[in-house]
């Protein structure tokens, strides 16, 4: 049943499935931070084709990880964050496809103190920039740190005579998604 849960029985999902299973085993053993990376997402052309293919590689293994963590009582103490480095613009210069945009992108979070089933924000129709319920990256980081039990305003260090923090001088916990 573990092979099915993590989609290890499918060659297209096996690699990421093994990563998810290893992540669960590490969490069980007390490893505090685990990062999984799926590296094929930076496709600028034929986004519908390559993003569908990439999603197929990771969706079942991630669902397996979430359900397994929940079944083992580990989801409530494990924060899962799935995000990318950029969003996608509605166009690309000189060819088919889409370029990067830092003005609107998607992130999902689960477990670890996140209220399930809550969606926030929207972009303009073509996805170029966020317009409703915008969450700045500093707010995302503040919320993640909060879920990890860290007050982002107190996590400071002094450098060149100035106090810095991971959220710089910005960032507010997004209370509407915190359980």
């Amino acid at each position: 049943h573990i092979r099915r849960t993590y989609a290890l029985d499918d060659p297209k999902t096996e690699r990421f499935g093994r990563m998810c299973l290893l992540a669960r085993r590490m969490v069980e053993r007390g490893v505090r931070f685990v990062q999984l990376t799926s590296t094929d997402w930076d496709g600028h052309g034929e986004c519908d084709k390559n993003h569908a293919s990439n999603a197929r590689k990771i969706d079942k293994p991630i669902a397996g990880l979430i359900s397994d963590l929940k079944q083992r009582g580990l989801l409530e103490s494990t924060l899962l964050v799935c995000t990318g480095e950029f969003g996608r613009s509605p166009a690309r210069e000189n060819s088919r496809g889409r370029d990067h945009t830092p003005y609107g992108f998607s992130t999902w979070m689960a477990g670890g103190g996140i209220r399930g089933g809550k969606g926030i924000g929207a972009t303009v129709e073509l996805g170029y920039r966020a317009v409703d319920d915008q969450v700045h990256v500093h707010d995302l980081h503040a919320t993640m740190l909060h879920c990890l039990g860290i007050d982002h305003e107190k996590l400071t260090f002094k450098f060149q005579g100035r106090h810095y923090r991971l959220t710089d001088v910005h960032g507010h916990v997004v209370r509407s998604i915190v359980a």
Side-chain angles (χ1 to χ4, degrees):
H1 83 281
I2 293 294
R3 294 186 64 75
R4 275 191 318 275
T5 298
Y6 285 92
L8 300 179
D9 50 355
D10 182 343
K12 292 181 180 174
T13 56
E14 181 183 15
R15 181 175 180 274
F16 199 76
R18 288 190 183 283
M19 293 169 64
C20 288
L21 178 57
L22 180 60
R24 191 265 290 161
R25 289 177 175 165
M26 293 170 75
V27 168
E28 281 182 313
R29 287 161 179 79
V31 175
R32 295 189 60 191
F33 298 96
V34 180
Q35 177 177 331
L36 305 181
T37 304
S38 177
T39 58
D40 299 330
W41 286 90
D42 196 23
H44 292 269
E46 299 183 9
C47 292
D48 56 342
K49 181 180 175 186
N50 63 41
H51 287 179
S53 172
N54 289 324
R56 187 185 183 299
K57 292 176 188 175
I58 68 170
D59 64 348
K60 288 181 183 178
I62 289 173
L65 174 61
I66 293 169
S67 66
D68 200 12
L69 289 171
K70 185 173 183 177
Q71 182 264 327
R72 295 167 187 274
L74 294 168
L75 185 60
E76 62 192 38
S77 61
T78 304
L79 176 65
L80 290 102
V81 179
C82 184
T83 193
E85 60 182 337
F86 286 103
R88 288 287 173 195
S89 70
R92 180 173 184 198
E93 289 186 40
N94 301 323
S95 72
R96 292 184 9 218
R98 297 174 72 180
D99 281 329
H100 292 152
T101 180
Y103 303 114
F105 60 95
S106 299
T107 297
W108 66 256
M109 299 166 68
I114 295 297
R115 181 178 296 139
K118 178 76 176 166
I120 298 177
T123 62
V124 294
E125 184 179 356
L126 295 177
Y128 182 71
R129 62 181 163 78
V131 291
D132 292 332
D133 295 326
Q134 297 176 18
V135 175
H136 192 278
V137 69
H138 295 309
D139 300 332
L140 175 62
H141 290 163
T143 304
M144 291 165 55
L145 290 167
H146 173 81
C147 290
L148 296 172
I150 299 169
D151 182 343
H152 76 102
E153 293 182 351
K154 292 183 178 177
L155 182 64
T156 62
F157 60 95
K158 196 167 186 175
F159 178 71
Q160 294 183 338
R162 178 179 175 246
H163 288 280
Y164 287 85
R165 62 184 193 225
L166 294 177
T167 56
D168 197 23
V169 296
H170 311 283
H172 302 281
V173 174
V174 182
R175 298 279 174 197
S176 63
I177 65 169
V178 177

